[in-house]
Amino acid sequence: MIKKLLSTFAIFCIFGVITVTADSVPIKFDPDDGKDKSEVPVTGGYDNDSKELALKFSECEVYDVAVIGTEGIVFSSKVDVKNYREVRVRIGAYDGEAYTVVVTDSKGRVYEGDFFA
């Protein structure tokens, strides 16, 4: 009886870990100017279920955001973080590709991150 409970619990844990890790892919942004990674003003993640890229900004300013895939530029826009703290980009039509997210702040600093959809 205990073996059956433990094996059932182990199966639930394994599937739980697979489900949690498969839903969202974090994007690590690297600064181009040697800044510490803790000073990067943007974090991001890609949700496999909704096929959306979510970018969250910690500093209020205007950023240029571009998402580049194998087909070229998928998304490009100026983002005024005074109005929006988070930007969502739907990637669904370009499923199965590698992407680079390029965020440039008003001082010309560039932050890049990669993910696979």
Side-chain angles (χ1 to χ4, degrees):
M1 179 70 174
I2 291 176
K3 281 186 178 180
K4 192 174 185 179
L5 284 173
L6 287 175
S7 63
T8 303
F9 178 72
I11 290 171
F12 281 122
C13 287
I14 290 170
F15 284 116
V17 168
I18 290 171
T19 302
V20 168
T21 56
D23 287 344
S24 182
V25 179
I27 301 169
K28 296 182 175 133
F29 285 90
D30 295 318
D32 70 342
D33 60 358
K35 279 182 130 180
D36 188 277
K37 287 189 179 197
S38 65
E39 297 179 63
V40 175
V42 61
T43 59
Y46 178 74
D47 188 312
N48 285 318
D49 292 336
S50 67
K51 307 293 184 199
E52 282 187 340
L53 166 67
L55 301 174
K56 295 180 183 179
F57 298 91
S58 61
E59 295 178 7
C60 291
E61 67 173 271
V62 177
Y63 296 93
D64 285 317
V65 177
V67 180
I68 304 160
T70 57
E71 300 288 323
I73 297 173
V74 175
F75 174 83
S76 179
S77 180
K78 282 197 180 294
V79 177
D80 186 349
V81 179
K82 294 174 188 164
N83 298 326
Y84 306 101
R85 287 283 185 185
E86 183 174 286
V87 174
R88 293 190 170 268
V89 180
R90 190 151 184 79
I91 307 290
Y94 304 96
D95 200 22
E97 294 185 14
Y99 294 92
T100 298
V101 181
V102 181
V103 177
T104 308
D105 67 13
S106 61
K107 296 176 182 101
R109 293 178 294 212
V110 178
Y111 306 95
E112 292 187 14
D114 300 311
F115 70 98
F116 187 80

